[in-house]
Amino acid sequence: MAAAGAGAGAGAAALAASVQDFVAGQQNGRAAEVAAGVKDGSWTVLQLVEALGSCLENTDPRTRGRGIQLLSQVLLQCYSLLQEKEVLHLVLFYENRLQDHHLVIPSVLQGLRALSMCEVLSPGLAVSVLKAIFQEVHVQSLLQLDRHTVYSIITNFMGTREEELKGLGADFTFGFIQVMDGEKDPRNLLVAFQIVRDLIAKNYALGPFVEELFEVTSCYFPIDFTPPPNDPHGIQREDLILSLRAVLASTPQFAEFLLPLLIEKMDSDLQSAKLDSLQTLTACCAIYGQKELQEFLPSLWSSLRREVFQTASEKVEAECLAALHALSACLSCSVLSCDTEDLLDSFLSSILQDCRHHLCEPDMKLVWPSAKLLQAAAGASLRAYHCVTSSVLPLLLEQYTKHPQSSQRRTILEMLLGFLELQQKWGHVEEDESTLLSLQAPGCSVVFSALTDPSVQLQLVGIRALTVLGSLQGFLSPSDLELVVDHLIRLALHEEDSQSSEAAMEAAGSLAPLYPKVFSGHMVPRLEEELQSEREEESSCDHRSLRQRCLQALAAVSTHTSIVRETVPVLLQHLRKVQKGSEAGNAQDMVSVCQSLHRVALQCQQDVDSCWYYHQTVVPCLLAMAVQAAMQESTHPLLGKALLEEEVLAAMVPVISAATTHLSPELAAQSVSHVVPLFLDGEVSFLPQNSFPCSFQPFEDGECLEAQRRLVALLMAFVCSLPRNVAIPQQERLLRELLALSCSCNCPFTATTAAKCFAGLVNKHPAGQQLDEILQLAVNRMELSLAEGPHRTQGLTLLLWMTKALVLRYHPLSSRLTDKLLGLLGDTELGPAVADGFSLLMAESPDVLHKGCHADVRIMFRQRFFTDNVPKLVQGFHGAGPDVKANYLKGLSHVLNHLPKPVLVTELPTLLSLLLEALSCSDRVVQLSTLSCLQPLLLEAPQIMSLHVDTLVTKFLSLTSSPTMAVRIAALRCAHALTSLPTTVLLPYKARVIRALAKPLDDKKRLVRKEAVAARGEWFLLGSPGR
């Protein structure tokens, strides 16, 4: 007992010492020690109050303030440990202290904030605290932090004691109005606005204080706050705007006060005030009804109309139209009693009265503003749409026939199109309601006349209108649909202007899923007929162009499963015919067919049935044709030669890839069980027309099999596009064969595709012993090839693609392979090719090793590659001989050029000197890559770049005379981007740059002259007023 008493005495002494140090010694750190003692049970809050006794009764307000400050800081950390009786006594104590000296009040409020968070607060205490604050504290005379404390107390009580506070009735609202009145600090306003929102949203009684509550918040409208530079709080003007708007648009009770304010601010000269008012009006319409709007509708419409007719700002116009749309929607949705006037009709009548006559004016000056207003109102509801269009559409159709000029007709048709697009919102055209159906004949007549007009721009609008009319169910009759198809075929195939032709094909693709029978029954046969009919005169350039358009149109219209089954056989049949031809343009014709097949494949990917039909129809057919051509190559060199050309095989790769990437794992496994044995074992039984003259052995040795080996490109397209969870039969054998082919083949195309195929499979291969073994074998073969010998280039190609495959999946071996590449930069023979290879490592690959073909691509692999290897590149550059330094610069510029710009900006200070040195390199690729890298940096890091402005100006101006057009263009763009640097830095160079940029104004290339004009114009304006 004696020991316990001694311990208690020691604890009391320690507490007293800490209190003394805090109060008298001004040692703020003691508060945390005292709080820790309360938490671990060394003493209680009651003992702390007793220890503070003399301080709390001291006549000096500063001493009392320090005592209460200590108690409050402890309570803020220990409020959850308090008992209900302790909270009661502390609340009474603090309430009493609210009458104390003003120096004490901040600490009292902190204590009350701590108590407001207590769960054991007795009923009635929250009301008592707030009443005391409302009566005893003049909140707006306090400092910002102390005012924030008051708002926090109110927020805490509103969150936990809602029913108690509602018992205060309107007195609580009035008390808060007094607290907030005059608040200016944005940090506090955000909290205060939230409290007002909660008052309204949670149905606190506003009583007679609705107008006062509106006044105390609306006085901040519109917000004109500009955050100070380097503001640590991060409060933006937009935060305050949105928070205040949420208050003003939170209740219809504010309508009678708010709407006059918004109308007044819409007339403001400040664009920001106009925009804020319009956006607030739009927000209010979501909760208002006819009753709130009725009195103000004429004034609102007058202001909106004036702004749209007169404003030069697109932003203001857009917000006016949004507000008008919201008003129309609000009136459309209002619930009416039987004796209430429907304000929507009278409102729309006003709009029609003020806008309709402008649609008929000969000069068409206010046509577009009027049309936009009418469309904004009409788009709000189906009822509004019928009301407006019943008056406007007949008028527009009449005006179209009255105006003979194409430009005027185009304007009218674009307005008509705007109204037609609104109808799409509501889908099916109701026969008994729609104005459109009564105008079916004149509407189609106008659109069809636009399609035959000589003006390309009018044709384009007509095609868009045709697409919209076709999308309206029940609008076009069967005879109209046949006419639509006729027009689309004519435009797609025979219209001279490519814009109209492409637009017609896109329209056919959009309408085909809606009317598949019409398009498969009328359009596809016509296109097939056109494709075949001109075979006799195919040497003609015009016929070749027509054939190309037929192929494009067949692809464009293949947007429905039934149509795909019609078009794919036509395209494949045409490819077979082209293959059997013998004229010089065969390869280009085959590429065109492959491009059409590729487009069809992309359009089939989202439909499982179409995708599988396409795959099992097209892939075997292409493989069969390619195998047939490869076998004929050795016996009849002319027959299959076109199909084996690099550009044709390269065009077939995306076709097979797109046909494979979206297969389900089950169907992909079914397909891979045929394709891989074809290449490994010559198993041709699954191919159509499979009676080949000899066996297919692409991986066997022999010069006569060179043509067969080229088909590895098609194997690559297939196996590298399979989902990762599809098992590839005989994968290890396949990898070994590909590895051998990539290192030993003398044909660069075959060796490269074998290396890419090997890399694509390695990238997806599950980690484990099998992968490690095949990688070790590949490293050994590759290093053997890179040693002196005839296959060094093939070895380098394999090294690059292997490195890329492993870098993408973060494989540990990738760092060893990358170091090998860095070492080869110093090789006089391979160094330039290795440097170019860094672009391959960083860039997106179009056919393998990208996410679209299910490759294993980790996030931020470029940043990781940069971090691991750029320091080595820089070190290698400094240690390299003068004959190979350019290789390191080229490699570095490729890495930096593909790096995300935010990452590059952070590393810029250490790398800029090397980039500037790269501009002096004679290699055009280095120059172009470096200029492409520097241009965005001039815009994103002007302060850093301005330190090197002298060098930049000299280098850029020098490169504007480069013999390479692309370098000249890039240099001029960089010279243009220089104007984003601080004006004071650039002014000394202004005259020199303007003189130097005069020369490229006379460049023989138009694109160079265009960039020179833009850059020189910016330099002329440099330093002028208003810039």
Side-chain angles (χ1 to χ4, degrees):
M1 291 293 290
L15 176 60
S18 295
V19 167
Q20 187 62 26
D21 288 343
F22 183 91
V23 175
Q26 301 292 313
Q27 295 182 29
N28 292 335
R30 294 296 186 187
E33 295 175 12
V34 174
V38 173
K39 287 178 182 176
D40 64 24
S42 299
W43 44 74
T44 63
V45 172
L46 178 59
Q47 289 174 318
L48 172 60
V49 174
E50 289 172 351
L52 283 167
S54 60
C55 303
L56 300 178
E57 295 171 357
N58 196 294
T59 55
D60 181 9
R62 289 179 180 79
T63 304
R64 294 200 303 278
R66 286 291 288 178
I68 295 175
Q69 183 183 351
L70 175 59
L71 179 59
S72 296
Q73 287 186 12
V74 171
L75 290 178
L76 282 168
Q77 295 184 56
C78 305
Y79 63 86
S80 60
L81 304 175
L82 295 173
Q83 301 297 316
E84 187 175 345
K85 277 194 173 181
E86 291 176 321
V87 173
L88 172 63
H89 292 302
L90 286 167
V91 166
L92 295 174
F93 165 73
Y94 274 111
E95 283 182 7
N96 179 264
R97 290 296 175 166
L98 283 173
Q99 301 172 12
D100 205 333
H101 194 275
H102 67 86
L103 291 174
V104 178
I105 300 301
S107 299
V108 175
L109 292 173
Q110 288 293 346
L112 287 172
R113 181 165 75 90
L115 295 172
S116 71
M117 294 186 278
C118 290
E119 293 182 9
V120 295
L121 196 71
S122 301
L125 287 183
V127 170
S128 174
V129 168
L130 290 179
K131 277 186 174 180
I133 291 174
F134 293 159
Q135 290 172 10
E136 305 296 343
V137 182
H138 184 244
V139 175
Q140 288 306 315
S141 65
L142 301 174
L143 295 175
Q144 179 272 327
L145 182 61
D146 303 324
R147 301 199 302 277
H148 194 279
T149 303
V150 174
Y151 296 127
S152 298
I153 294 169
I154 296 172
T155 302
N156 291 340
F157 283 146
M158 288 180 75
T160 58
R161 298 290 188 270
E162 183 179 327
E163 293 307 317
E164 289 182 38
L165 300 191
K166 284 182 177 178
L168 276 172
D171 289 346
F172 176 59
T173 304
F174 181 67
F176 173 72
I177 291 170
Q178 287 182 306
V179 166
M180 183 185 172
D181 193 10
E183 181 59 67
K184 290 177 182 168
D185 191 278
R187 292 164 288 180
N188 292 348
L189 283 173
L190 284 177
V191 184
F193 290 155
Q194 182 60 54
I195 292 172
V196 178
R197 287 212 299 277
D198 290 342
L199 278 172
I200 294 165
K202 295 179 179 178
N203 296 315
Y204 281 80
L206 304 185
F209 304 116
V210 174
E211 185 173 0
E212 283 77 5
L213 187 61
F214 172 79
E215 291 294 340
V216 85
T217 50
S218 66
C219 62
Y220 302 101
F221 183 85
I223 297 284
D224 60 356
F225 168 69
T226 303
N230 305 317
D231 180 20
H233 307 290
I235 295 175
Q236 299 298 315
R237 179 170 174 269
E238 192 66 18
D239 300 327
L240 289 165
I241 287 174
L242 294 175
S243 189
L244 176 57
R245 184 176 301 150
V247 170
L248 298 177
S250 60
T251 173
Q253 294 181 74
F254 284 166
E256 62 179 302
F257 315 113
L258 177 59
L259 291 174
L261 176 64
L262 295 180
I263 292 167
E264 176 193 334
K265 296 301 179 184
M266 277 187 224
D267 298 337
S268 167
D269 294 330
L270 287 174
Q271 180 172 308
S272 59
K274 288 180 190 287
L275 291 172
D276 203 353
S277 302
L278 291 164
Q279 289 163 355
T280 304
L281 174 60
T282 303
C284 289
C285 287
I287 62 161
Y288 285 2
Q290 287 205 159
K291 184 179 75 172
E292 287 77 25
L293 292 173
Q294 182 169 9
E295 181 186 345
F296 304 99
L297 278 176
S299 300
L300 286 169
W301 162 238
S302 176
S303 296
L304 293 172
R305 181 190 63 211
R306 184 183 63 254
E307 288 300 328
V308 173
F309 280 172
Q310 297 178 3
T311 187
S313 165
E314 290 183 9
K315 286 183 181 178
V316 172
E317 181 187 89
E319 293 300 339
C320 282
L321 296 175
L324 181 59
H325 179 93
L327 282 169
S328 183
C330 176
L331 296 175
S332 301
C333 298
S334 295
V335 179
L336 305 177
S337 58
C338 57
D339 57 344
T340 309
E341 178 195 358
D342 182 4
L343 289 180
L344 179 65
D345 286 339
S346 59
F347 183 60
L348 293 176
S349 297
S350 301
I351 297 173
L352 284 165
Q353 183 180 343
D354 289 342
C355 294
R356 194 174 183 275
H357 65 278
H358 290 305
L359 304 180
C360 309
E361 291 174 356
D363 59 359
M364 304 185 84
K365 186 179 177 182
L366 292 174
V367 159
W368 267 120
S370 299
K372 287 176 181 176
L373 287 165
L374 288 166
Q375 286 168 8
S381 68
L382 189 57
R383 192 155 63 98
Y385 179 79
H386 288 315
C387 182
V388 173
T389 53
S390 61
S391 173
V392 171
L393 290 187
L395 180 66
L396 288 176
L397 292 171
E398 180 189 331
Q399 290 300 306
Y400 184 90
T401 55
K402 279 186 179 179
H403 289 84
Q405 291 182 10
S406 296
S407 59
Q408 293 174 322
R409 286 189 161 193
R410 176 188 161 201
T411 301
I412 294 166
L413 190 56
E414 281 182 331
M415 290 188 288
L416 195 63
L417 177 61
F419 286 104
L420 292 176
E421 286 172 338
L422 290 176
Q423 174 70 55
Q424 288 179 303
K425 280 180 161 186
W426 298 286
H428 188 73
V429 181
E430 294 293 338
E431 292 188 20
D432 57 338
E433 292 182 8
S434 177
T435 310
L436 275 177
L437 282 178
S438 64
L439 301 171
Q440 185 174 7
C444 287
S445 173
V446 161
V447 172
F448 291 153
S449 77
L451 297 178
T452 55
D453 195 274
S455 165
V456 173
Q457 297 305 316
L458 182 53
Q459 284 179 14
L460 292 173
V461 181
I463 291 168
R464 285 166 52 207
L466 187 67
T467 308
V468 174
L469 284 180
S471 69
L472 301 175
Q473 267 186 309
F475 187 84
L476 295 176
S477 66
S479 59
D480 286 334
L481 283 170
E482 290 186 22
L483 206 53
V484 166
V485 171
D486 290 342
H487 279 297
L488 290 177
I489 292 173
R490 177 184 57 78
L491 289 166
L493 301 186
H494 304 293
E495 178 56 47
E496 286 184 22
D497 189 87
S498 60
Q499 278 182 288
S500 293
S501 175
E502 289 167 12
M505 292 180 199
E506 292 297 328
S510 300
L511 294 175
L514 303 174
Y515 310 100
K517 289 182 180 177
V518 176
F519 279 85
S520 60
H522 291 81
M523 191 167 194
V524 176
R526 289 271 302 278
L527 292 173
E528 183 181 7
E529 184 185 332
E530 288 280 1
L531 200 57
Q532 295 170 352
S533 65
E534 42 80 34
R535 295 290 294 169
E536 298 169 6
E537 305 173 38
E538 61 186 45
S539 58
S540 160
C541 182
D542 289 342
H543 282 101
R544 187 177 292 278
S545 172
L546 177 62
R547 191 163 58 224
Q548 182 115 346
R549 284 195 178 185
C550 280
L551 293 170
Q552 291 170 348
L554 280 167
V557 80
S558 303
T559 50
H560 188 272
T561 306
S562 64
I563 301 175
V564 169
R565 293 173 185 269
E566 302 279 343
T567 55
V568 166
V570 173
L571 291 170
L572 292 175
Q573 181 62 29
H574 184 67
L575 186 62
R576 290 190 196 96
K577 286 185 178 180
V578 175
Q579 183 194 7
K580 292 172 184 173
S582 58
E583 84 275 7
N586 261 13
Q588 187 52 51
D589 287 344
M590 286 184 174
V591 169
S592 297
V593 180
C594 290
Q595 287 170 342
S596 292
L597 283 169
H598 181 230
R599 179 170 178 177
V600 177
L602 294 175
Q603 290 165 183
C604 289
Q605 285 179 341
Q606 303 309 317
D607 182 81
V608 177
D609 294 336
S610 294
C611 188
W612 179 234
Y613 165 78
Y614 183 92
H615 181 87
Q616 64 180 353
T617 306
V618 174
V619 174
C621 181
L622 292 183
L623 289 173
M625 290 172 65
V627 170
Q628 180 81 35
M631 290 179 178
Q632 287 175 341
E633 174 73 3
S634 55
T635 53
H636 304 87
L638 290 175
L639 282 176
K641 192 163 185 181
L643 192 63
L644 299 174
E645 289 186 20
E646 286 184 24
E647 61 175 324
V648 178
L649 289 172
M652 292 171 78
V653 165
V655 177
I656 295 174
S657 179
T660 307
T661 52
H662 284 63
L663 288 180
S664 66
E666 298 78 23
L667 295 175
Q670 185 180 327
S671 190
V672 77
S673 66
H674 296 305
V675 176
V676 172
L678 167 68
F679 282 85
L680 288 179
D681 305 315
E683 180 56 62
V684 296
S685 59
F686 82 102
L687 296 178
Q689 302 170 350
N690 54 18
S691 55
F692 301 117
C694 58
S695 59
F696 182 58
Q697 300 169 313
F699 291 116
E700 295 295 321
D701 293 329
E703 284 189 26
C704 64
L705 298 176
E706 179 57 47
Q708 294 188 18
R709 285 196 281 270
R710 295 167 77 82
L711 301 193
V712 170
L714 305 185
L715 172 67
M716 174 198 76
F718 177 77
V719 295
C720 291
S721 302
L722 292 167
R724 262 187 271 175
N725 56 354
V726 174
I728 297 173
Q730 307 180 70
Q731 183 167 11
E732 306 312 310
R733 178 186 164 196
L734 178 60
L735 284 167
R736 290 171 189 273
E737 296 283 13
L738 289 166
L739 181 58
L741 186 60
S742 68
C743 290
S744 60
C745 184
N746 291 320
C747 171
F749 176 79
T750 304
T752 300
T753 50
K756 289 164 73 173
C757 189
F758 180 82
L761 292 173
V762 161
N763 174 265
K764 297 180 189 178
H765 199 295
Q769 185 179 353
Q770 282 186 326
L771 178 62
D772 295 339
E773 287 174 2
I774 198 70
L775 287 176
Q776 189 56 51
L777 180 64
V779 169
N780 295 340
R781 287 294 298 266
M782 174 260 299
E783 288 185 339
L784 196 62
S785 298
L786 284 171
E788 293 300 323
H791 295 123
R792 296 192 77 201
T793 304
Q794 288 90 325
L796 174 60
T797 303
L798 177 63
L799 172 59
L800 285 168
W801 282 102
M802 266 184 65
T803 306
K804 183 176 180 71
L806 299 181
V807 162
L808 291 179
R809 64 180 282 179
Y810 289 177
H811 192 279
L813 184 61
S814 63
S815 57
R816 178 180 157 192
L817 297 181
T818 309
D819 289 342
K820 180 72 177 173
L821 284 171
L822 291 168
L824 286 171
L825 284 170
D827 187 297
T828 51
E829 180 190 350
L830 295 178
V834 174
D836 284 330
F838 278 90
S839 176
L840 184 151
L841 296 178
M842 299 293 284
E844 186 85 1
S845 175
D847 42 13
V848 294
L849 296 178
H850 60 86
K851 287 185 178 179
C853 64
H854 312 290
D856 186 357
V857 181
R858 304 298 176 87
I859 60 170
M860 297 198 294
F861 76 90
R862 291 185 179 88
Q863 288 90 316
R864 181 170 176 168
F865 187 88
F866 170 86
T867 305
D868 291 346
N869 297 295
V870 165
K872 298 175 186 176
L873 271 171
V874 175
Q875 184 181 354
F877 168 79
H878 290 304
D883 54 335
V884 294
K885 273 186 180 287
N887 297 338
Y888 288 91
L889 285 176
K890 186 189 285 190
L892 178 67
S893 67
H894 282 315
V895 173
L896 299 182
N897 204 23
H898 290 94
L899 199 66
K901 292 302 175 277
V903 179
L904 186 51
V905 168
T906 60
E907 302 292 337
L908 190 57
T910 56
L911 296 172
L912 190 53
S913 58
L914 273 178
L915 284 172
L916 295 176
E917 190 161 345
L919 290 177
S920 302
C921 180
S922 58
D923 190 303
R924 305 297 176 212
V925 176
V926 176
Q927 292 173 354
L928 189 57
S929 180
T930 308
L931 288 168
S932 302
C933 184
L934 286 172
Q935 185 195 349
L937 294 176
L938 288 164
L939 304 172
E940 293 173 27
Q943 297 304 324
I944 299 171
M945 301 298 277
S946 62
L947 301 174
H948 301 269
V949 65
D950 190 67
T951 309
L952 290 167
V953 168
T954 304
K955 302 280 189 190
F956 293 159
L957 294 182
S958 169
L959 290 173
T960 58
S961 304
S962 166
T964 307
M965 183 183 83
V967 173
R968 297 200 300 277
I969 290 174
L972 286 165
R973 285 177 177 163
C974 286
H976 189 166
L978 274 174
T979 57
S980 64
L981 302 188
T983 305
T984 50
V985 174
L986 296 176
L987 282 175
Y989 302 93
K990 181 176 178 179
R992 173 186 164 192
V993 173
I994 290 172
R995 278 197 308 273
L997 292 180
K999 183 181 175 185
L1001 292 176
D1002 295 325
D1003 196 279
K1004 60 185 178 182
K1005 295 293 186 182
R1006 182 184 62 83
L1007 293 175
V1008 177
R1009 297 195 299 272
K1010 179 184 173 185
E1011 295 296 339
V1013 168
R1016 199 163 186 255
E1018 283 299 314
W1019 275 90
F1020 262 118
L1021 293 171
L1022 194 70
S1024 58
R1027 288 187 66 77

